[in-house]
Amino acid sequence: MTESTNKSTPPPPLDDPMATDPLECPPLRWGMLGCGRVSHDFVLALHHLSTAQVVACAARELDRAQEFASKHGITQAYGSYEELATDPNVDIVYVGNIHIFRRSIGELCLNHNKHVLLEKPVACNAEDAKYLVALARSKNLFLMEGMWTRFFPAVEQARLIQKQELGEVVSVLSDFHFAASDSEEYPSSFLYNWALGGGASYLVSPYPIAAATLFFEQDPDKIHTVGHVDTQTGADLQAAMILSFPATGDKSPAQSNSEGKGSPKLPGAGIATLTFGMLGESEEETSVICTNGRLTIKAPCHCPTKLVVSSKNKGRGNTTETTYHYPLPEDSPELLEKVGGYFYPNSAGFCYEAAAVARCIAAGKLEAPQYTHAEMLRGIGILDQARAQLGLADPTKKEEI
């Protein structure tokens, strides 16, 4: 292995290859639906976008919305979601409330002609996700699941390097386990309430699934899932998945290796090994093995600032490593003192996603190329199959619970 170097100039975002700064974007007026922890972090991150405005927020209780508005300097607070959806000053609604209401809330906002960014999961099943995509397209509105990972410069760079330098993807390994006991009470916390959309598959699995679908662009032909379901709450606590992706062509080799020799590797074919859970904390990295090297998206890989590229040289174990480091934008100490800081790691990185959303909407796009509707639906389809293999009911269908 040769000595690594460090590069930290952000690549151009996929949605605008001419952009030199991933945080440059047109004006956009946000409404926050849900006033919990993730919404708090999102609003705080928007301070990094000079063109972003949060003009309203809504919660099921007016006093909670007013408290949120006071903390964040938001002029309008509502005690119902319908009021937010009908506010003419809101361009886009960020949905950060309980998972079980994703379809009804998404439908409410779209029917009032609002663009929508839905936190993960986009819905509790593929049927509901397809409905929301069709509704958004019929109304010429932007809709996206909040897969903010895709907009971090480290992930944008990983996509570019894999396609340009590292050849065919062979395998993806991605893990995301966190210790829910750090902040949540068992069994009363929402995280363990399957009927409301809790459980590890809804809370955590979208990230490793999206790591696989970033590098394999077709549906898997086999999915095998094993895991543990809590007998008291009915929520899944952890699981492991193996996905097999079929070849997209029948000519072998797909590509010569770094020594110019052939390989039986068929184009597109590969496997992904994914684990997720909320019983303990994992290293949380994504490793992408390619015919000419490998990528390691360093921890925390769902919101990363560092990427290591290991380019293969002649001979086994002989690589050249290049490290790319993209520090998060810095928050002012005064702002952090005023609002209390972030709840979750690297939440300042929400600004990359928000900037891309603003650029896409201004350009008339209904989806972001970093995370298209087709890929979003592929991910929730994989989640549906995993849920079925774990023996989990659909929380949107009360007769199954």
Side-chain angles (χ1 to χ4, degrees):
M1 182 182 71
T2 59
E3 199 171 301
S4 64
T5 58
N6 187 285
K7 300 178 181 179
S8 57
T9 301
L14 187 63
D15 63 276
D16 185 0
M18 302 303 294
T20 57
D21 182 352
L23 299 184
E24 287 186 3
C25 60
L28 193 63
R29 299 174 300 177
W30 293 82
M32 306 303 297
L33 194 151
C35 295
R37 287 177 285 188
V38 68
S39 295
H40 165 94
D41 282 11
F42 192 88
V43 172
L44 189 51
L46 286 178
H47 284 273
H48 294 294
L49 306 180
S50 61
T51 53
Q53 288 181 276
V54 181
V55 297
C57 63
R60 287 176 294 177
E61 297 86 24
L62 179 59
D63 57 348
R64 188 174 184 191
Q66 289 172 332
E67 180 183 356
F68 188 88
S70 176
K71 175 183 284 189
H72 290 283
I74 301 170
T75 56
Q76 185 64 62
Y78 296 116
S80 75
Y81 299 148
E82 291 79 5
E83 290 176 289
L84 178 70
T86 57
D87 186 331
N89 294 314
V90 172
D91 299 319
I92 182 168
V93 176
Y94 174 88
V95 178
N97 70 332
I98 293 174
H99 300 159
I100 195 67
F101 303 116
R102 286 292 190 264
R103 173 170 171 156
S104 61
I105 292 298
E107 183 178 35
L108 171 70
C109 297
L110 291 169
N111 279 332
H112 285 94
N113 295 311
K114 305 300 184 191
H115 304 289
V116 180
L117 179 61
L118 289 156
E119 259 310 331
K120 301 161 296 299
V122 65
C124 287
N125 58 59
E127 178 185 352
D128 287 353
K130 290 175 183 176
Y131 170 79
L132 291 175
V133 168
L135 180 60
R137 287 188 169 276
S138 72
K139 293 180 171 293
N140 203 37
L141 293 167
F142 181 92
L143 172 76
M144 192 177 79
E145 180 179 45
M147 188 51 67
W148 63 317
T149 310
R150 292 300 179 83
F151 303 91
F152 279 77
V155 176
E156 297 263 23
Q157 185 77 323
R159 184 200 297 266
L160 280 173
I161 291 176
Q162 183 270 309
K163 290 185 178 298
Q164 295 175 0
E165 301 178 18
L166 296 186
E168 279 273 317
V169 177
V170 175
S171 180
V172 173
L173 301 94
S174 188
D175 70 278
F176 188 179
H177 295 251
F178 74 99
S181 58
D182 283 344
S183 60
E184 307 298 323
E185 288 291 333
Y186 174 83
S188 59
S189 169
F190 157 73
L191 272 64
Y192 304 106
N193 192 327
W194 179 251
L196 293 179
S201 56
Y202 284 140
L203 288 158
V204 197
S205 79
Y207 289 114
I209 290 173
T213 60
L214 172 59
F215 296 102
F216 292 112
E217 299 177 2
Q218 71 275 33
D219 290 336
D221 56 356
K222 295 177 184 177
I223 300 174
H224 296 289
T225 310
V226 295
H228 297 144
V229 177
D230 182 37
T231 56
Q232 181 174 344
T233 63
D236 56 318
L237 302 175
Q238 65 176 353
M241 303 174 63
I242 297 178
L243 312 180
S244 171
F245 293 88
T248 55
D250 59 2
K251 291 187 178 180
S252 175
Q255 180 173 331
S256 296
N257 65 14
S258 60
E259 299 178 30
K261 297 179 180 179
S263 164
K265 170 73 169 70
L266 290 173
I271 58 173
T273 305
L274 316 174
T275 70
F276 57 91
M278 51 190 194
L279 295 176
E281 192 169 301
S282 66
E283 188 171 8
E284 205 208 321
E285 289 188 345
T286 293
S287 178
V288 184
I289 303 169
C290 305
T291 51
N292 290 332
R294 64 183 180 272
L295 300 164
T296 304
I297 301 173
K298 303 296 286 184
C301 62
H302 77 288
C303 49
T305 60
K306 188 177 290 187
L307 167 71
V308 176
V309 179
S310 303
S311 301
K312 189 178 184 329
N313 301 316
K314 185 175 181 179
R316 187 172 179 179
N318 183 13
T319 61
T320 300
E321 283 199 353
T322 305
T323 300
Y324 297 84
H325 187 214
Y326 305 99
L328 293 169
E330 293 185 6
D331 297 281
S332 73
E334 296 79 14
L335 178 62
L336 294 179
E337 183 178 356
K338 176 185 175 183
V339 302
Y342 294 102
F343 285 102
Y344 301 110
N346 290 357
S347 281
F350 275 125
C351 61
Y352 298 120
E353 174 187 47
V357 168
R359 291 191 297 266
C360 288
I361 289 174
K365 297 176 182 177
L366 305 185
E367 59 186 347
Q370 289 95 330
Y371 196 62
T372 64
H373 290 163
E375 189 182 351
M376 182 176 73
L377 294 176
R378 183 178 302 122
I380 194 69
I382 292 170
L383 178 52
D384 270 4
Q385 293 189 56
R387 175 172 51 80
Q389 291 178 12
L390 291 172
L392 295 168
D394 185 335
T396 68
K397 297 176 170 56
K398 301 303 182 185
E399 67 275 10
E400 294 187 13
I401 298 177

